[in-house]
Amino acid sequence: MQGSARRRPFPAAAPGSPPPAGPLYPGRHGAVKAEDTFKTSPFHLDLWFYFTLQNWVLDFGRPIAMIILPLEWFPLNKPSAGDYFHMAYNVITPFLLLKLIERSPKTLPRSMVYVSIITFVMGASIHLVGDSVNHRLIFSGYQHHLSVRENPIIRNLKPETLIDSFELLYYYDEYLGHSMWYIPFFLILFIYFTGCFTPVAEQSRMPVAALLLMGPSSLYYWYLVTEGQIFILYIFTFFAMMALVMHQKRKGLVLDSNGLFLFYSFIIALLLIAGWVVWLWNDKILRKKYPGVIYIPEPWAFYTLHMSNLHAAKESL
């Protein structure tokens, strides 16, 4: 009986036929669902650190570098230091996002990830051009707290069709570029967040390094939302994350260390945004530029309105 119970070999596949789906072919889309195996990932300290560092240096730091560095080094008709920062950001950020997706223990929709990354790069590149010109207009007296047509250096242009061209540039910078940049950015973060759940309660803890990194990460999200004017996108992403947490909790799943880091960073950033709005609630000039129900001033608009005048007064003394 034992001799007759030998395992029978797998039948050979016909020439040209696709390989069978199953555990022997884990590389195929949807062949093996990692969520069924309850794999978990340790805290990605390296990726989150690099991600936060390059966000601060290459995104937040690019307009600062353009203002601080001598104008003689980067003439107004050539790319500025901030432009080179932006170019590096457009390459490094999608690379880090892809590495983050690779480390997810869950099988994620690759086609959606690829399309999101492509759209992200295109939107960030559109923003690179528009933002480069708009920030260099500061040296000519452009004031970010005013609309395009209200700026003194713009409204006196002749012919008046040039004003339409500057409004088109502003549209590419602040609307189209931001939409194609930030929508896929938050979509990728949410897709990654869907794989950050574990049934083991002991793994729902953040290491000390994650707690230290949470402050800079949260502060950057505050800057991203306020300067990018993407509060609606941000709050919808946060609500989706919160709904997913509640849904998975009914299944007995909790967030792992990476999910907690991302979720808490969003919560702290939301509190910072609320504090920013309350602080500038009675600013009549900023209120005029940001009308409507959602009032969230841009940090650089606040800078050109208040801080730049303060710096000019100090230099005159």
Side-chain angles (χ1 to χ4, degrees), residues 247-258:
H247 175 71
Q248 296 288 58
K249 188 176 182 180
R250 298 192 189 99
K251 298 181 179 180
L253 301 177
V254 292
L255 286 170
D256 62 10
S257 58
N258 294 287

Side-chain angles (χ1 to χ4, degrees), residues 235-253:
I235 199 66
F236 271 111
T237 304
F238 174 72
F239 285 157
M241 293 167 65
M242 188 164 54
L244 183 62
V245 170
M246 297 173 61
H247 175 71
Q248 296 288 58
K249 188 176 182 180
R250 298 192 189 99
K251 298 181 179 180
L253 301 177

Side-chain angles (χ1 to χ4, degrees), residues 165-184:
S165 299
F166 276 98
E167 285 189 326
L168 176 62
L169 179 67
Y170 185 83
Y171 171 79
Y172 273 110
D173 178 16
E174 295 294 328
Y175 294 100
L176 184 61
H178 281 185
S179 298
M180 296 182 66
W181 177 2
Y182 294 130
I183 290 177

Side-chain angles (χ1 to χ4, degrees), residues 33-211:
K33 292 185 177 181
E35 64 267 28
D36 295 336
T37 61
F38 296 117
K39 294 180 182 179
T40 56
S41 298
F43 182 71
H44 308 315
L45 177 60
D46 55 342
L47 285 182
W48 289 121
F49 174 77
Y50 294 142
F51 191 66
T52 304
L53 179 64
Q54 68 94 30
N55 281 337
W56 272 105
V57 174
L58 300 180
D59 191 12
F60 179 79
R62 54 189 171 82
I64 297 178
M66 186 193 68
I67 294 175
I68 293 178
L69 294 178
L71 188 62
E72 295 77 14
W73 294 3
F74 305 95
L76 293 179
N77 60 344
K78 301 292 182 182
S80 68
D83 297 336
Y84 292 113
F85 278 34
H86 207 322
M87 295 176 195
Y89 175 90
N90 292 2
V91 175
I92 296 175
T93 302
F95 174 77
L96 291 177
L97 289 174
L98 286 174
K99 298 301 292 185
L100 194 65
I101 291 294
E102 287 178 3
R103 293 196 187 181
S104 174
K106 178 181 177 181
T107 303
L108 301 175
R110 299 183 185 178
S111 297
M112 184 178 295
V113 171
Y114 295 156
V115 172
S116 298
I117 290 292
I118 293 170
T119 307
F120 171 89
V121 174
M122 183 176 179
S125 300
I126 292 174
H127 180 267
L128 164 63
V129 178
D131 193 66
S132 174
V133 177
N134 284 331
H135 274 93
R136 283 184 164 269
L137 288 175
I138 295 177
F139 295 102
S140 302
Y142 188 86
Q143 302 176 45
H144 278 289
H145 61 276
L146 299 176
S147 65
V148 176
R149 289 187 177 271
E150 291 177 343
N151 262 271
I153 67 170
I154 300 295
R155 63 187 178 190
N156 295 325
L157 289 176
K158 299 297 179 182
E160 292 186 1
T161 52
L162 287 176
I163 302 179
D164 296 330
S165 299
F166 276 98
E167 285 189 326
L168 176 62
L169 179 67
Y170 185 83
Y171 171 79
Y172 273 110
D173 178 16
E174 295 294 328
Y175 294 100
L176 184 61
H178 281 185
S179 298
M180 296 182 66
W181 177 2
Y182 294 130
I183 290 177
F185 177 82
F186 283 104
L187 179 60
I188 292 174
L189 287 181
F190 179 75
I191 291 175
Y192 171 79
F193 184 77
T194 61
C196 296
F197 290 89
T198 175
V200 184
E202 289 75 11
Q203 295 174 344
S204 184
R205 298 175 182 174
M206 288 191 299
V208 177
L211 296 175

